[in-house]
Amino acid sequence: MNQEIILNGSDFLLEDLVQIARNNVGIKISSESEERINKARKLIEKWVKDGERIYGVTTGFGALSDVTISLEDTKKLQKKILLSHAAGLGSHMEDDVVRGMMALRVNDFCRGNSGLRQETIEKLAQILNSGIVPLVPEKGSVGASGDLVPMAHLALVLIGEGEAFIEGKRMSGARALRKKAIKPLELEAGEGLALINGTQFMISLGCLALHDALNLCKHADIAASMSLETLMGTRSAFDPRIHNARPHTGQIKAANNMLRITENSEIISSHGDCTRVQDAYTLRCSPQVHGASWDAFGYVDNVIRVEMNSSTENPLIF
């Protein structure tokens, strides 16, 4: 990888996620994240050794949360939760969605609330950086409680199970790791649940959809500006004073965009002495119409950026 984006769990940007997902930029875990990760893992190891009852670590899952798991069976449990939840159906997700999932998952783990070993998190980053793309079926997520099924399919490749793609070629997870000289991981206490109990499948989809939607908003402003020129309209309707009198954020943004795009337009200036009092709604009200979309996606943007830098697993280790 010629480029790397350093993840620390707190300032992951939408623009960075797109670079990783679609332009094959690599990732690296920050040094301050390593300290948090190791501190949380030491707590898990201590609690397991002391026989503490911790959901999903020394107990079963869901309805079996009251069932205590013996120390001898904790490792076996972690592998089985991946295998049992990898029950997705339908076509596989696109590479950019899966790469986005992996990057978001690593960023989540960088916050130090998962209890995973640093080795496990680095292995996931290594798989992403190597160009391996786990096969993740499009159907199966339960949504609100977490993307358990898609995350299980993703995590299977860590342990040499499941399926994956390398440069579009489908193969077993074990073969994919061998081709990239990556050794399969053996999960320790609590790691199976920590790997699958998150929302990165829906966040990745949301991030990429939001990026494309914001790009479409920009193109809509460009297209409207070109239409203004073609129909020999006036820029006067985009005067900031007009929009500050009715100060919707998206409307102001769209008007400012169209004002900048048409600045010094020779076509518009060529008919500056036109006697027309005002243009049709389709031209002069473009900022008001486009602004509603800018506002809607602005709200989504705020939610997505919070989710990108959140801890989404259960249990959370403090």
Side-chain angles (χ1 to χ4, degrees), residues 12 17 20-21 93-108 124 128 134 136-137 147 149-155 199-205 208:
F12 196 15
L17 185 280
I20 295 165
M93 296 304 300
E94 295 83 357
D95 287 2
D96 57 353
V97 175
V98 180
R99 286 183 58 84
M101 288 171 65
M102 288 192 280
L104 288 161
R105 202 69 181 122
V106 171
N107 192 60
D108 182 334
L124 183 57
L128 171 62
V136 177
D147 295 315
V149 169
M151 298 307 299
H153 281 277
L154 186 149
T199 58
Q200 282 68 39
F201 178 66
M202 63 181 92
I203 299 173
S204 181
L205 284 166
L208 296 174

PDB file of all heavy atoms in Angstrom, residues 12 17 20-21 93-108 124 128 134 136-137 147 149-155 199-205 208:
ATOM      1  N   PHE A  12     -12.529   9.477  12.239  1.00  0.00           N
ATOM      2  CA  PHE A  12     -12.638   8.832  10.924  1.00  0.00           C
ATOM      3  C   PHE A  12     -13.604   9.643  10.070  1.00  0.00           C
ATOM      4  O   PHE A  12     -14.742   9.910  10.473  1.00  0.00           O
ATOM      5  CB  PHE A  12     -13.138   7.405  11.107  1.00  0.00           C
ATOM      6  CG  PHE A  12     -12.946   6.510   9.907  1.00  0.00           C
ATOM      7  CD1 PHE A  12     -12.108   6.842   8.867  1.00  0.00           C
ATOM      8  CD2 PHE A  12     -13.610   5.289   9.841  1.00  0.00           C
ATOM      9  CE1 PHE A  12     -11.926   6.005   7.786  1.00  0.00           C
ATOM     10  CE2 PHE A  12     -13.437   4.431   8.775  1.00  0.00           C
ATOM     11  CZ  PHE A  12     -12.593   4.795   7.745  1.00  0.00           C
ATOM     12  N   LEU A  17     -13.162   7.095   4.438  1.00  0.00           N
ATOM     13  CA  LEU A  17     -13.821   5.801   4.257  1.00  0.00           C
ATOM     14  C   LEU A  17     -13.985   5.484   2.776  1.00  0.00           C
ATOM     15  O   LEU A  17     -13.736   4.344   2.342  1.00  0.00           O
ATOM     16  CB  LEU A  17     -15.185   5.827   4.965  1.00  0.00           C
ATOM     17  CG  LEU A  17     -16.064   4.560   5.040  1.00  0.00           C
ATOM     18  CD1 LEU A  17     -16.829   4.302   3.755  1.00  0.00           C
ATOM     19  CD2 LEU A  17     -15.265   3.345   5.436  1.00  0.00           C
ATOM     20  N   ILE A  20     -10.704   4.352   1.250  1.00  0.00           N
ATOM     21  CA  ILE A  20     -10.384   2.969   1.614  1.00  0.00           C
ATOM     22  C   ILE A  20     -11.262   1.995   0.841  1.00  0.00           C
ATOM     23  O   ILE A  20     -10.788   0.997   0.285  1.00  0.00           O
ATOM     24  CB  ILE A  20     -10.567   2.758   3.132  1.00  0.00           C
ATOM     25  CG1 ILE A  20      -9.561   3.615   3.914  1.00  0.00           C
ATOM     26  CG2 ILE A  20     -10.420   1.284   3.504  1.00  0.00           C
ATOM     27  CD1 ILE A  20      -9.893   3.751   5.390  1.00  0.00           C
ATOM     28  N   ALA A  21     -12.557   2.284   0.797  1.00  0.00           N
ATOM     29  CA  ALA A  21     -13.521   1.357   0.203  1.00  0.00           C
ATOM     30  C   ALA A  21     -13.379   1.261  -1.312  1.00  0.00           C
ATOM     31  O   ALA A  21     -13.475   0.160  -1.881  1.00  0.00           O
ATOM     32  CB  ALA A  21     -14.944   1.790   0.558  1.00  0.00           C
ATOM     33  N   MET A  93     -22.238  -8.920  -1.351  1.00  0.00           N
ATOM     34  CA  MET A  93     -22.133  -7.466  -1.398  1.00  0.00           C
ATOM     35  C   MET A  93     -20.932  -7.042  -2.231  1.00  0.00           C
ATOM     36  O   MET A  93     -19.951  -7.774  -2.367  1.00  0.00           O
ATOM     37  CB  MET A  93     -22.011  -6.889   0.013  1.00  0.00           C
ATOM     38  CG  MET A  93     -23.226  -7.122   0.886  1.00  0.00           C
ATOM     39  SD  MET A  93     -24.773  -6.511   0.170  1.00  0.00           S
ATOM     40  CE  MET A  93     -24.411  -4.767  -0.019  1.00  0.00           C
ATOM     41  N   GLU A  94     -21.009  -5.826  -2.764  1.00  0.00           N
ATOM     42  CA  GLU A  94     -19.917  -5.292  -3.567  1.00  0.00           C
ATOM     43  C   GLU A  94     -18.657  -5.121  -2.716  1.00  0.00           C
ATOM     44  O   GLU A  94     -18.724  -4.936  -1.507  1.00  0.00           O
ATOM     45  CB  GLU A  94     -20.316  -3.937  -4.175  1.00  0.00           C
ATOM     46  CG  GLU A  94     -21.460  -3.997  -5.167  1.00  0.00           C
ATOM     47  CD  GLU A  94     -22.837  -3.982  -4.520  1.00  0.00           C
ATOM     48  OE1 GLU A  94     -22.897  -3.980  -3.261  1.00  0.00           O
ATOM     49  OE2 GLU A  94     -23.827  -3.977  -5.258  1.00  0.00           O
ATOM     50  N   ASP A  95     -17.517  -5.133  -3.395  1.00  0.00           N
ATOM     51  CA  ASP A  95     -16.234  -5.016  -2.699  1.00  0.00           C
ATOM     52  C   ASP A  95     -16.151  -3.750  -1.857  1.00  0.00           C
ATOM     53  O   ASP A  95     -15.611  -3.776  -0.733  1.00  0.00           O
ATOM     54  CB  ASP A  95     -15.080  -5.014  -3.706  1.00  0.00           C
ATOM     55  CG  ASP A  95     -14.820  -6.387  -4.311  1.00  0.00           C
ATOM     56  OD1 ASP A  95     -15.569  -7.336  -3.977  1.00  0.00           O
ATOM     57  OD2 ASP A  95     -13.876  -6.513  -5.116  1.00  0.00           O
ATOM     58  N   ASP A  96     -16.650  -2.620  -2.370  1.00  0.00           N
ATOM     59  CA  ASP A  96     -16.496  -1.367  -1.623  1.00  0.00           C
ATOM     60  C   ASP A  96     -17.275  -1.398  -0.309  1.00  0.00           C
ATOM     61  O   ASP A  96     -16.812  -0.868   0.710  1.00  0.00           O
ATOM     62  CB  ASP A  96     -16.891  -0.154  -2.468  1.00  0.00           C
ATOM     63  CG  ASP A  96     -18.311  -0.201  -3.005  1.00  0.00           C
ATOM     64  OD1 ASP A  96     -18.998  -1.237  -2.858  1.00  0.00           O
ATOM     65  OD2 ASP A  96     -18.742   0.816  -3.598  1.00  0.00           O
ATOM     66  N   VAL A  97     -18.433  -2.046  -0.303  1.00  0.00           N
ATOM     67  CA  VAL A  97     -19.213  -2.152   0.934  1.00  0.00           C
ATOM     68  C   VAL A  97     -18.453  -2.986   1.970  1.00  0.00           C
ATOM     69  O   VAL A  97     -18.374  -2.622   3.147  1.00  0.00           O
ATOM     70  CB  VAL A  97     -20.599  -2.774   0.665  1.00  0.00           C
ATOM     71  CG1 VAL A  97     -21.362  -2.988   1.978  1.00  0.00           C
ATOM     72  CG2 VAL A  97     -21.415  -1.888  -0.272  1.00  0.00           C
ATOM     73  N   VAL A  98     -17.871  -4.097   1.527  1.00  0.00           N
ATOM     74  CA  VAL A  98     -17.167  -4.995   2.453  1.00  0.00           C
ATOM     75  C   VAL A  98     -15.875  -4.346   2.957  1.00  0.00           C
ATOM     76  O   VAL A  98     -15.555  -4.418   4.146  1.00  0.00           O
ATOM     77  CB  VAL A  98     -16.876  -6.352   1.785  1.00  0.00           C
ATOM     78  CG1 VAL A  98     -16.147  -7.277   2.755  1.00  0.00           C
ATOM     79  CG2 VAL A  98     -18.184  -7.001   1.323  1.00  0.00           C
ATOM     80  N   ARG A  99     -15.145  -3.692   2.079  1.00  0.00           N
ATOM     81  CA  ARG A  99     -13.935  -2.984   2.523  1.00  0.00           C
ATOM     82  C   ARG A  99     -14.307  -1.879   3.515  1.00  0.00           C
ATOM     83  O   ARG A  99     -13.605  -1.653   4.504  1.00  0.00           O
ATOM     84  CB  ARG A  99     -13.193  -2.380   1.318  1.00  0.00           C
ATOM     85  CG  ARG A  99     -12.459  -3.420   0.477  1.00  0.00           C
ATOM     86  CD  ARG A  99     -11.683  -2.764  -0.672  1.00  0.00           C
ATOM     87  NE  ARG A  99     -10.709  -1.791  -0.183  1.00  0.00           N
ATOM     88  CZ  ARG A  99      -9.498  -2.100   0.237  1.00  0.00           C
ATOM     89  NH1 ARG A  99      -9.085  -3.364   0.247  1.00  0.00           N
ATOM     90  NH2 ARG A  99      -8.660  -1.155   0.662  1.00  0.00           N
ATOM     91  N   GLY A 100     -15.434  -1.220   3.256  1.00  0.00           N
ATOM     92  CA  GLY A 100     -15.908  -0.207   4.195  1.00  0.00           C
ATOM     93  C   GLY A 100     -16.248  -0.813   5.547  1.00  0.00           C
ATOM     94  O   GLY A 100     -15.930  -0.252   6.601  1.00  0.00           O
ATOM     95  N   MET A 101     -16.880  -1.995   5.526  1.00  0.00           N
ATOM     96  CA  MET A 101     -17.192  -2.706   6.773  1.00  0.00           C
ATOM     97  C   MET A 101     -15.936  -2.971   7.591  1.00  0.00           C
ATOM     98  O   MET A 101     -15.894  -2.746   8.805  1.00  0.00           O
ATOM     99  CB  MET A 101     -17.876  -4.042   6.459  1.00  0.00           C
ATOM    100  CG  MET A 101     -19.298  -3.951   5.957  1.00  0.00           C
ATOM    101  SD  MET A 101     -19.897  -5.569   5.386  1.00  0.00           S
ATOM    102  CE  MET A 101     -19.908  -6.505   6.922  1.00  0.00           C
ATOM    103  N   MET A 102     -14.904  -3.479   6.920  1.00  0.00           N
ATOM    104  CA  MET A 102     -13.672  -3.832   7.633  1.00  0.00           C
ATOM    105  C   MET A 102     -13.008  -2.606   8.241  1.00  0.00           C
ATOM    106  O   MET A 102     -12.563  -2.621   9.398  1.00  0.00           O
ATOM    107  CB  MET A 102     -12.711  -4.557   6.681  1.00  0.00           C
ATOM    108  CG  MET A 102     -13.148  -5.968   6.337  1.00  0.00           C
ATOM    109  SD  MET A 102     -11.849  -6.934   5.496  1.00  0.00           S
ATOM    110  CE  MET A 102     -12.010  -6.306   3.833  1.00  0.00           C
ATOM    111  N   ALA A 103     -12.947  -1.528   7.474  1.00  0.00           N
ATOM    112  CA  ALA A 103     -12.318  -0.303   7.987  1.00  0.00           C
ATOM    113  C   ALA A 103     -13.099   0.266   9.161  1.00  0.00           C
ATOM    114  O   ALA A 103     -12.520   0.684  10.176  1.00  0.00           O
ATOM    115  CB  ALA A 103     -12.214   0.729   6.866  1.00  0.00           C
ATOM    116  N   LEU A 104     -14.419   0.285   9.046  1.00  0.00           N
ATOM    117  CA  LEU A 104     -15.264   0.793  10.134  1.00  0.00           C
ATOM    118  C   LEU A 104     -15.149  -0.074  11.377  1.00  0.00           C
ATOM    119  O   LEU A 104     -15.157   0.433  12.503  1.00  0.00           O
ATOM    120  CB  LEU A 104     -16.723   0.853   9.667  1.00  0.00           C
ATOM    121  CG  LEU A 104     -17.057   1.960   8.663  1.00  0.00           C
ATOM    122  CD1 LEU A 104     -18.362   1.649   7.945  1.00  0.00           C
ATOM    123  CD2 LEU A 104     -17.148   3.314   9.359  1.00  0.00           C
ATOM    124  N   ARG A 105     -15.037  -1.379  11.170  1.00  0.00           N
ATOM    125  CA  ARG A 105     -14.920  -2.299  12.307  1.00  0.00           C
ATOM    126  C   ARG A 105     -13.607  -2.066  13.042  1.00  0.00           C
ATOM    127  O   ARG A 105     -13.573  -2.032  14.274  1.00  0.00           O
ATOM    128  CB  ARG A 105     -15.003  -3.744  11.814  1.00  0.00           C
ATOM    129  CG  ARG A 105     -15.422  -4.725  12.905  1.00  0.00           C
ATOM    130  CD  ARG A 105     -16.868  -4.485  13.292  1.00  0.00           C
ATOM    131  NE  ARG A 105     -17.300  -5.384  14.350  1.00  0.00           N
ATOM    132  CZ  ARG A 105     -17.780  -4.984  15.527  1.00  0.00           C
ATOM    133  NH1 ARG A 105     -17.839  -3.702  15.822  1.00  0.00           N
ATOM    134  NH2 ARG A 105     -18.205  -5.849  16.417  1.00  0.00           N
ATOM    135  N   VAL A 106     -12.528  -1.912  12.302  1.00  0.00           N
ATOM    136  CA  VAL A 106     -11.236  -1.648  12.932  1.00  0.00           C
ATOM    137  C   VAL A 106     -11.280  -0.323  13.680  1.00  0.00           C
ATOM    138  O   VAL A 106     -10.778  -0.214  14.813  1.00  0.00           O
ATOM    139  CB  VAL A 106     -10.103  -1.644  11.880  1.00  0.00           C
ATOM    140  CG1 VAL A 106      -8.793  -1.143  12.500  1.00  0.00           C
ATOM    141  CG2 VAL A 106      -9.903  -3.046  11.299  1.00  0.00           C
ATOM    142  N   ASN A 107     -11.902   0.691  13.076  1.00  0.00           N
ATOM    143  CA  ASN A 107     -12.001   1.989  13.753  1.00  0.00           C
ATOM    144  C   ASN A 107     -12.802   1.880  15.045  1.00  0.00           C
ATOM    145  O   ASN A 107     -12.452   2.488  16.061  1.00  0.00           O
ATOM    146  CB  ASN A 107     -12.642   3.025  12.827  1.00  0.00           C
ATOM    147  CG  ASN A 107     -12.517   4.433  13.365  1.00  0.00           C
ATOM    148  OD1 ASN A 107     -11.422   4.938  13.581  1.00  0.00           O
ATOM    149  ND2 ASN A 107     -13.658   5.069  13.624  1.00  0.00           N
ATOM    150  N   ASP A 108     -13.867   1.106  15.029  1.00  0.00           N
ATOM    151  CA  ASP A 108     -14.657   0.833  16.233  1.00  0.00           C
ATOM    152  C   ASP A 108     -13.759   0.195  17.299  1.00  0.00           C
ATOM    153  O   ASP A 108     -13.720   0.647  18.453  1.00  0.00           O
ATOM    154  CB  ASP A 108     -15.817  -0.096  15.858  1.00  0.00           C
ATOM    155  CG  ASP A 108     -16.748  -0.416  17.027  1.00  0.00           C
ATOM    156  OD1 ASP A 108     -16.291  -0.368  18.188  1.00  0.00           O
ATOM    157  OD2 ASP A 108     -17.917  -0.738  16.781  1.00  0.00           O
ATOM    158  N   LEU A 124      -7.305  -8.224  11.119  1.00  0.00           N
ATOM    159  CA  LEU A 124      -8.380  -7.716  10.275  1.00  0.00           C
ATOM    160  C   LEU A 124      -7.868  -6.602   9.370  1.00  0.00           C
ATOM    161  O   LEU A 124      -8.205  -6.544   8.178  1.00  0.00           O
ATOM    162  CB  LEU A 124      -9.538  -7.211  11.149  1.00  0.00           C
ATOM    163  CG  LEU A 124     -10.794  -6.709  10.419  1.00  0.00           C
ATOM    164  CD1 LEU A 124     -11.354  -7.793   9.504  1.00  0.00           C
ATOM    165  CD2 LEU A 124     -11.844  -6.281  11.435  1.00  0.00           C
ATOM    166  N   LEU A 128      -7.584  -6.550   5.140  1.00  0.00           N
ATOM    167  CA  LEU A 128      -8.051  -5.436   4.311  1.00  0.00           C
ATOM    168  C   LEU A 128      -6.929  -4.902   3.428  1.00  0.00           C
ATOM    169  O   LEU A 128      -7.093  -4.719   2.219  1.00  0.00           O
ATOM    170  CB  LEU A 128      -8.594  -4.321   5.215  1.00  0.00           C
ATOM    171  CG  LEU A 128      -8.930  -2.985   4.541  1.00  0.00           C
ATOM    172  CD1 LEU A 128     -10.031  -3.145   3.513  1.00  0.00           C
ATOM    173  CD2 LEU A 128      -9.340  -1.949   5.576  1.00  0.00           C
ATOM    174  N   PRO A 134     -13.680 -10.490   2.034  1.00  0.00           N
ATOM    175  CA  PRO A 134     -14.567 -11.578   2.458  1.00  0.00           C
ATOM    176  C   PRO A 134     -15.905 -11.547   1.712  1.00  0.00           C
ATOM    177  O   PRO A 134     -16.414 -10.471   1.379  1.00  0.00           O
ATOM    178  CB  PRO A 134     -14.759 -11.305   3.955  1.00  0.00           C
ATOM    179  CG  PRO A 134     -13.539 -10.547   4.359  1.00  0.00           C
ATOM    180  CD  PRO A 134     -13.208  -9.686   3.180  1.00  0.00           C
ATOM    181  N   VAL A 136     -19.625 -11.544   1.716  1.00  0.00           N
ATOM    182  CA  VAL A 136     -20.688 -11.200   2.667  1.00  0.00           C
ATOM    183  C   VAL A 136     -22.013 -11.177   1.922  1.00  0.00           C
ATOM    184  O   VAL A 136     -22.232 -10.315   1.067  1.00  0.00           O
ATOM    185  CB  VAL A 136     -20.423  -9.817   3.314  1.00  0.00           C
ATOM    186  CG1 VAL A 136     -21.570  -9.443   4.246  1.00  0.00           C
ATOM    187  CG2 VAL A 136     -19.089  -9.818   4.062  1.00  0.00           C
ATOM    188  N   PRO A 137     -22.922 -12.111   2.206  1.00  0.00           N
ATOM    189  CA  PRO A 137     -24.239 -12.106   1.549  1.00  0.00           C
ATOM    190  C   PRO A 137     -25.030 -10.859   1.891  1.00  0.00           C
ATOM    191  O   PRO A 137     -24.880 -10.279   2.964  1.00  0.00           O
ATOM    192  CB  PRO A 137     -24.919 -13.364   2.106  1.00  0.00           C
ATOM    193  CG  PRO A 137     -23.800 -14.218   2.592  1.00  0.00           C
ATOM    194  CD  PRO A 137     -22.755 -13.267   3.096  1.00  0.00           C
ATOM    195  N   ASP A 147     -25.411  -6.119  13.061  1.00  0.00           N
ATOM    196  CA  ASP A 147     -25.309  -6.847  11.792  1.00  0.00           C
ATOM    197  C   ASP A 147     -24.626  -8.189  12.026  1.00  0.00           C
ATOM    198  O   ASP A 147     -23.563  -8.482  11.468  1.00  0.00           O
ATOM    199  CB  ASP A 147     -24.511  -6.012  10.793  1.00  0.00           C
ATOM    200  CG  ASP A 147     -25.228  -4.720  10.416  1.00  0.00           C
ATOM    201  OD1 ASP A 147     -26.444  -4.784  10.162  1.00  0.00           O
ATOM    202  OD2 ASP A 147     -24.582  -3.667  10.375  1.00  0.00           O
ATOM    203  N   VAL A 149     -25.177 -11.379  11.236  1.00  0.00           N
ATOM    204  CA  VAL A 149     -24.957 -12.335  10.145  1.00  0.00           C
ATOM    205  C   VAL A 149     -23.880 -11.844   9.171  1.00  0.00           C
ATOM    206  O   VAL A 149     -22.910 -12.559   8.903  1.00  0.00           O
ATOM    207  CB  VAL A 149     -26.287 -12.648   9.425  1.00  0.00           C
ATOM    208  CG1 VAL A 149     -26.038 -13.413   8.128  1.00  0.00           C
ATOM    209  CG2 VAL A 149     -27.210 -13.448  10.344  1.00  0.00           C
ATOM    210  N   PRO A 150     -24.006 -10.632   8.606  1.00  0.00           N
ATOM    211  CA  PRO A 150     -22.946 -10.188   7.695  1.00  0.00           C
ATOM    212  C   PRO A 150     -21.587 -10.078   8.374  1.00  0.00           C
ATOM    213  O   PRO A 150     -20.557 -10.419   7.771  1.00  0.00           O
ATOM    214  CB  PRO A 150     -23.426  -8.824   7.194  1.00  0.00           C
ATOM    215  CG  PRO A 150     -24.641  -8.482   7.942  1.00  0.00           C
ATOM    216  CD  PRO A 150     -25.135  -9.691   8.624  1.00  0.00           C
ATOM    217  N   MET A 151     -21.564  -9.648   9.632  1.00  0.00           N
ATOM    218  CA  MET A 151     -20.283  -9.537  10.323  1.00  0.00           C
ATOM    219  C   MET A 151     -19.663 -10.912  10.578  1.00  0.00           C
ATOM    220  O   MET A 151     -18.449 -11.069  10.582  1.00  0.00           O
ATOM    221  CB  MET A 151     -20.449  -8.792  11.646  1.00  0.00           C
ATOM    222  CG  MET A 151     -20.935  -7.350  11.526  1.00  0.00           C
ATOM    223  SD  MET A 151     -19.976  -6.319  10.405  1.00  0.00           S
ATOM    224  CE  MET A 151     -18.368  -6.383  11.165  1.00  0.00           C
ATOM    225  N   ALA A 152     -20.518 -11.931  10.776  1.00  0.00           N
ATOM    226  CA  ALA A 152     -20.005 -13.296  10.965  1.00  0.00           C
ATOM    227  C   ALA A 152     -19.328 -13.792   9.691  1.00  0.00           C
ATOM    228  O   ALA A 152     -18.257 -14.407   9.738  1.00  0.00           O
ATOM    229  CB  ALA A 152     -21.139 -14.230  11.369  1.00  0.00           C
ATOM    230  N   HIS A 153     -19.945 -13.531   8.541  1.00  0.00           N
ATOM    231  CA  HIS A 153     -19.337 -13.932   7.272  1.00  0.00           C
ATOM    232  C   HIS A 153     -17.997 -13.231   7.074  1.00  0.00           C
ATOM    233  O   HIS A 153     -17.028 -13.843   6.598  1.00  0.00           O
ATOM    234  CB  HIS A 153     -20.273 -13.593   6.108  1.00  0.00           C
ATOM    235  CG  HIS A 153     -21.389 -14.573   5.931  1.00  0.00           C
ATOM    236  ND1 HIS A 153     -21.244 -15.761   5.247  1.00  0.00           N
ATOM    237  CD2 HIS A 153     -22.681 -14.540   6.357  1.00  0.00           C
ATOM    238  CE1 HIS A 153     -22.396 -16.424   5.254  1.00  0.00           C
ATOM    239  NE2 HIS A 153     -23.280 -15.702   5.926  1.00  0.00           N
ATOM    240  N   LEU A 154     -17.927 -11.975   7.434  1.00  0.00           N
ATOM    241  CA  LEU A 154     -16.679 -11.230   7.321  1.00  0.00           C
ATOM    242  C   LEU A 154     -15.604 -11.815   8.234  1.00  0.00           C
ATOM    243  O   LEU A 154     -14.462 -12.038   7.822  1.00  0.00           O
ATOM    244  CB  LEU A 154     -16.924  -9.756   7.642  1.00  0.00           C
ATOM    245  CG  LEU A 154     -15.770  -8.773   7.446  1.00  0.00           C
ATOM    246  CD1 LEU A 154     -16.296  -7.402   7.061  1.00  0.00           C
ATOM    247  CD2 LEU A 154     -14.933  -8.636   8.715  1.00  0.00           C
ATOM    248  N   ALA A 155     -15.981 -12.092   9.481  1.00  0.00           N
ATOM    249  CA  ALA A 155     -15.016 -12.556  10.481  1.00  0.00           C
ATOM    250  C   ALA A 155     -14.531 -13.977  10.228  1.00  0.00           C
ATOM    251  O   ALA A 155     -13.439 -14.353  10.677  1.00  0.00           O
ATOM    252  CB  ALA A 155     -15.629 -12.457  11.877  1.00  0.00           C
ATOM    253  N   THR A 199     -22.560  -2.707  13.997  1.00  0.00           N
ATOM    254  CA  THR A 199     -23.477  -2.202  12.969  1.00  0.00           C
ATOM    255  C   THR A 199     -22.739  -1.738  11.715  1.00  0.00           C
ATOM    256  O   THR A 199     -23.234  -0.892  10.973  1.00  0.00           O
ATOM    257  CB  THR A 199     -24.304  -1.034  13.529  1.00  0.00           C
ATOM    258  OG1 THR A 199     -23.414   0.008  13.979  1.00  0.00           O
ATOM    259  CG2 THR A 199     -25.172  -1.482  14.691  1.00  0.00           C
ATOM    260  N   GLN A 200     -21.555  -2.284  11.466  1.00  0.00           N
ATOM    261  CA  GLN A 200     -20.737  -1.757  10.372  1.00  0.00           C
ATOM    262  C   GLN A 200     -21.250  -2.110   8.975  1.00  0.00           C
ATOM    263  O   GLN A 200     -20.877  -1.443   8.006  1.00  0.00           O
ATOM    264  CB  GLN A 200     -19.296  -2.240  10.542  1.00  0.00           C
ATOM    265  CG  GLN A 200     -18.506  -1.476  11.585  1.00  0.00           C
ATOM    266  CD  GLN A 200     -18.995  -1.695  13.000  1.00  0.00           C
ATOM    267  OE1 GLN A 200     -19.360  -2.802  13.364  1.00  0.00           O
ATOM    268  NE2 GLN A 200     -18.996  -0.650  13.809  1.00  0.00           N
ATOM    269  N   PHE A 201     -22.085  -3.129   8.858  1.00  0.00           N
ATOM    270  CA  PHE A 201     -22.690  -3.449   7.559  1.00  0.00           C
ATOM    271  C   PHE A 201     -23.608  -2.304   7.131  1.00  0.00           C
ATOM    272  O   PHE A 201     -23.479  -1.757   6.033  1.00  0.00           O
ATOM    273  CB  PHE A 201     -23.468  -4.759   7.674  1.00  0.00           C
ATOM    274  CG  PHE A 201     -24.192  -5.193   6.428  1.00  0.00           C
ATOM    275  CD1 PHE A 201     -23.487  -5.562   5.298  1.00  0.00           C
ATOM    276  CD2 PHE A 201     -25.573  -5.264   6.404  1.00  0.00           C
ATOM    277  CE1 PHE A 201     -24.154  -5.989   4.145  1.00  0.00           C
ATOM    278  CE2 PHE A 201     -26.247  -5.691   5.268  1.00  0.00           C
ATOM    279  CZ  PHE A 201     -25.535  -6.048   4.144  1.00  0.00           C
ATOM    280  N   MET A 202     -24.504  -1.906   8.013  1.00  0.00           N
ATOM    281  CA  MET A 202     -25.432  -0.819   7.657  1.00  0.00           C
ATOM    282  C   MET A 202     -24.721   0.531   7.600  1.00  0.00           C
ATOM    283  O   MET A 202     -25.071   1.391   6.792  1.00  0.00           O
ATOM    284  CB  MET A 202     -26.620  -0.783   8.618  1.00  0.00           C
ATOM    285  CG  MET A 202     -26.306  -0.485  10.060  1.00  0.00           C
ATOM    286  SD  MET A 202     -27.814  -0.498  11.095  1.00  0.00           S
ATOM    287  CE  MET A 202     -27.832  -2.191  11.637  1.00  0.00           C
ATOM    288  N   ILE A 203     -23.697   0.717   8.438  1.00  0.00           N
ATOM    289  CA  ILE A 203     -22.970   1.990   8.403  1.00  0.00           C
ATOM    290  C   ILE A 203     -22.201   2.114   7.096  1.00  0.00           C
ATOM    291  O   ILE A 203     -22.173   3.189   6.476  1.00  0.00           O
ATOM    292  CB  ILE A 203     -22.004   2.119   9.597  1.00  0.00           C
ATOM    293  CG1 ILE A 203     -22.760   2.077  10.922  1.00  0.00           C
ATOM    294  CG2 ILE A 203     -21.226   3.439   9.512  1.00  0.00           C
ATOM    295  CD1 ILE A 203     -21.851   2.019  12.138  1.00  0.00           C
ATOM    296  N   SER A 204     -21.572   1.033   6.646  1.00  0.00           N
ATOM    297  CA  SER A 204     -20.838   1.069   5.381  1.00  0.00           C
ATOM    298  C   SER A 204     -21.779   1.400   4.224  1.00  0.00           C
ATOM    299  O   SER A 204     -21.478   2.265   3.384  1.00  0.00           O
ATOM    300  CB  SER A 204     -20.145  -0.272   5.125  1.00  0.00           C
ATOM    301  OG  SER A 204     -19.406  -0.235   3.921  1.00  0.00           O
ATOM    302  N   LEU A 205     -22.911   0.729   4.176  1.00  0.00           N
ATOM    303  CA  LEU A 205     -23.907   1.041   3.143  1.00  0.00           C
ATOM    304  C   LEU A 205     -24.345   2.497   3.230  1.00  0.00           C
ATOM    305  O   LEU A 205     -24.452   3.200   2.216  1.00  0.00           O
ATOM    306  CB  LEU A 205     -25.130   0.124   3.299  1.00  0.00           C
ATOM    307  CG  LEU A 205     -24.977  -1.313   2.817  1.00  0.00           C
ATOM    308  CD1 LEU A 205     -26.132  -2.167   3.337  1.00  0.00           C
ATOM    309  CD2 LEU A 205     -24.938  -1.362   1.299  1.00  0.00           C
ATOM    310  N   LEU A 208     -21.500   5.012   1.991  1.00  0.00           N
ATOM    311  CA  LEU A 208     -21.320   5.065   0.544  1.00  0.00           C
ATOM    312  C   LEU A 208     -22.537   5.688  -0.139  1.00  0.00           C
ATOM    313  O   LEU A 208     -22.395   6.455  -1.106  1.00  0.00           O
ATOM    314  CB  LEU A 208     -21.050   3.662   0.004  1.00  0.00           C
ATOM    315  CG  LEU A 208     -19.741   3.033   0.509  1.00  0.00           C
ATOM    316  CD1 LEU A 208     -19.618   1.590   0.035  1.00  0.00           C
ATOM    317  CD2 LEU A 208     -18.531   3.841   0.057  1.00  0.00           C
TER     318      LEU A 208
END
